[in-house]
Amino acid sequence: MQSSTDDRGRRRFFVATLTTIHAAIAGFIGVIIGGAVASPVFGREREQETWIPAGDLNSLPDNEPIPVLYRVAREDGYREIMDRRVLYLLKNGDEVTAMDTTCTHLGCPVRWDADAKAMKCPCHGGVYDKTGTVVSGPPPKPLARFTTRIDGGQILVRV
Ligand code: FES
């Protein structure tokens, strides 16, 4: 008689323990799956537009790519690192184009060669014209462009 009551007590304890473990596992899996599904949404909310001042519109020469050095913060594990980057501005009247200097072949930095009137990539000989259009070499597409806007004569570039 006594052992039957003990068995029921042990059985209840065992069932309650298993139920708790199953609930904990289900909760853990739910957090992982929920995080994987929701993280792109939350990640997008964290992305912020960064507009950098890139100079005075009136001080830019027409039709001559001008390099602009800028800094942008990025996360590296738990640290925030400031990267130094370069973009080129090309003014044509009241319009300004901002071009990335990353070669579209394998990512080397391109440079404006004023004598040759071309953007040249030192890695595999890729050549672009001043608008970033591919002239020769392996680059598969033009240089990427940034969105720009003029605010009170100041050029702002979204990076
Ligand atoms: Fe520029 Fe290859 S990385 S041509």
Side-chain angles (χ1 to χ4, degrees):
M1 296 292 217
Q2 182 69 25
S3 67
S4 173
T5 308
D6 284 349
D7 284 348
R8 266 188 267 145
R10 265 189 237 124
R11 199 172 297 131
R12 267 196 220 120
F13 173 75
F14 185 66
V15 168
T17 303
L18 278 180
T19 304
T20 304
I21 291 171
H22 285 145
I25 291 171
F28 183 68
I29 291 172
V31 166
I32 290 173
I33 292 173
V37 170
S39 64
V41 174
F42 292 126
R44 257 185 247 126
E45 285 177 3
R46 274 190 282 136
E47 284 180 17
Q48 293 178 347
E49 287 188 353
T50 303
W51 290 87
I52 58 159
D56 183 34
L57 180 66
N58 291 328
S59 66
L60 272 186
D62 263 326
N63 288 313
E64 177 83 16
I66 301 297
V68 173
L69 179 69
Y70 68 100
R71 293 170 190 268
V72 65
R74 73 175 165 87
E75 288 182 15
D76 180 28
Y78 60 90
R79 299 180 306 165
E80 185 174 278
I81 293 179
M82 294 301 282
D83 279 342
R84 289 165 43 120
R85 297 184 188 168
V86 177
L87 58 80
Y88 277 97
L89 293 178
L90 181 64
K91 178 183 168 190
N92 188 359
D94 286 342
E95 291 185 12
V96 176
T97 302
M99 290 172 281
D100 192 7
T101 55
T102 306
C103 181
T104 58
H105 180 223
L106 293 177
C108 291
V110 301
R111 280 192 160 189
W112 173 246
D113 181 336
D115 295 333
K117 300 272 183 223
M119 300 269 193
K120 292 184 174 178
C121 178
C123 292
H124 312 103
V127 179
Y128 303 83
D129 70 10
K130 66 183 174 189
T131 68
T133 302
V134 179
V135 174
S136 64
K141 56 186 179 181
L143 293 175
R145 293 184 173 189
F146 297 103
T147 302
T148 60
R149 74 171 202 251
I150 310 296
D151 190 1
Q154 280 292 307
I155 303 163
L156 298 171
V157 180
R158 190 174 72 190
V159 293

